[in-house]
Amino acid sequence: MLRFYLELRVWALAGILISSLLLAWAWLENGNAEAMALTDTLLRVPVSAVVGVLVGALVAVFSTRESHLLKYFKNR
């Protein structure tokens, strides 16, 4: 289970880093008034990336059946 949490953190961090590049680009390319308005909107992107990682992990965990795991380990 610890490996699952570690992998989840890595995916969440990757999503935050990738989406933060968009935020930094918007901040540097626009003036101060426009940048402040865009920052409020673009801060939702990293948050939605983390939420997407969490929801995806939960769907993966809940959709895995024990019979699939047994077949996987038996054929391994």
Side-chain angles (χ1 to χ4, degrees):
M1 198 61 140
L2 181 63
R3 183 175 172 217
F4 175 73
Y5 290 127
L6 179 63
E7 185 177 345
L8 185 65
R9 284 187 214 148
V10 168
W11 278 108
L13 182 64
I16 289 173
L17 289 176
I18 290 170
S19 61
S20 294
L21 293 175
L22 176 65
L23 181 62
W25 174 76
W27 182 266
L28 293 174
E29 291 294 320
N30 295 305
N32 286 337
E34 293 173 352
M36 290 303 289
L38 283 173
T39 301
D40 182 43
T41 304
L42 289 177
L43 281 177
R44 296 176 188 168
V45 176
V47 172
S48 64
V50 171
V51 169
V53 166
L54 293 175
V55 169
L58 286 175
V59 168
V61 167
F62 288 132
S63 66
T64 303
R65 295 184 180 177
E66 187 177 351
S67 62
H68 293 142
L69 292 174
L70 291 174
K71 286 180 188 177
Y72 173 72
F73 287 117
K74 185 178 180 181
N75 293 331
R76 210 170 156 194

